[in-house]
Amino acid sequence: MIVLGIDTTTSAIAVGLADGARVLASLARVDARGHTEHLAPLVQRLLDDAGLTPRDLTDVVVGTGPGPFTGLRVGMVTGVTMGHALGLPVHGVCSLDVLAHAALGAHDEVLVATDARRKEVYWARYRAGSGGVGLDAVVRVGDPAVDRPAELPEDVRSLPTAGRGPVLYPELFPHALEPLDVDAGLLALLGAQGVAAGRSMPVEPLYLRRPDALTTAERARA
């Protein structure tokens, strides 16, 4: 099993490879508005560095957000298109879940808060699972949401917080954690483990709000 992970839900364009047991490689480029420009070359470089071709892949896993409309769409469409062209199954994993897996470590509970623009954050609260592995090692408490940082309850904002929320709003998220962006290698590994466990991982985007870009008719109605 060789799984390609793609995530474009944060400021980073991230790609990674994993098998069912470990992360094989990962690359990322931070450019909040360069997803379309950088994604395909990053995938090609990732495969070249690993001595692989697209035909060596067995699955594709995409981060499903939440994230700004344009960036999220680029990654998901690219993953689905590759899957269709290569005849590969494509799976989806919530991007905040991946950040939580990387952040929990010694903490029993964490907050993940990423940049939603418009002075808002995408966020979700997590706790450690009860001895599970893979996706089940972390439990999300409630659904992902988008809010102004000050609108989150104080007890939530005081949790150790991963993502770029603490970078943007340090006075409201005082306990910053790594990572800032999704590690697509970890995304690929969690997807691989989910596939092995027979877990359903639908490719459904978590937009949470209307697109940033509206048509002329939509702006007139608004």
Side-chain angles (χ1 to χ4, degrees), residues 12-192:
I13 305 100
V15 295
L17 293 168
D19 57 19
R22 62 191 178 97
V23 173
L24 302 177
S26 59
L27 291 173
R29 175 164 183 153
V30 177
D31 186 341
R33 301 188 183 278
H35 299 87
T36 302
E37 175 185 357
H38 299 303
L39 180 54
L42 275 177
V43 171
Q44 187 61 60
R45 179 182 159 196
L46 179 78
L47 293 173
D48 288 346
D49 289 350
L52 300 172
T53 72
R55 292 293 174 187
D56 294 313
L57 301 173
T58 60
D59 298 82
V60 178
V61 180
V62 294
T64 59
F69 181 86
T70 302
L72 174 55
R73 183 177 175 84
V74 168
M76 295 193 70
V77 168
T78 299
V80 170
T81 301
M82 285 189 66
H84 178 75
L86 297 168
L88 302 177
V90 183
H91 317 279
V93 173
C94 173
S95 304
L96 300 184
D97 293 0
V98 182
L99 284 162
H101 274 269
L104 263 170
H107 302 283
D108 294 327
E109 192 168 7
V110 298
L111 173 68
V112 176
T114 63
D115 183 15
R117 301 175 188 169
R118 303 183 190 176
K119 298 181 180 180
E120 295 178 327
V121 293
Y122 296 115
W123 66 276
R125 186 175 185 170
Y126 295 84
R127 59 178 173 82
S130 55
V133 296
L135 290 169
D136 294 325
V138 169
V139 177
R140 191 192 318 132
V141 181
D143 294 327
V146 57
D147 291 290
R148 289 182 178 270
E151 295 172 352
L152 275 65
E154 185 175 354
D155 65 318
V156 174
R157 287 190 284 106
S158 66
L159 290 169
T161 306
R164 291 190 177 268
V167 176
L168 297 170
Y169 311 100
E171 72 285 0
L172 294 172
F173 301 108
H175 304 296
L177 286 179
E178 296 286 345
L180 300 181
D181 300 299
V182 173
D183 180 339
L186 178 57
L187 168 67
L189 178 60
L190 293 172

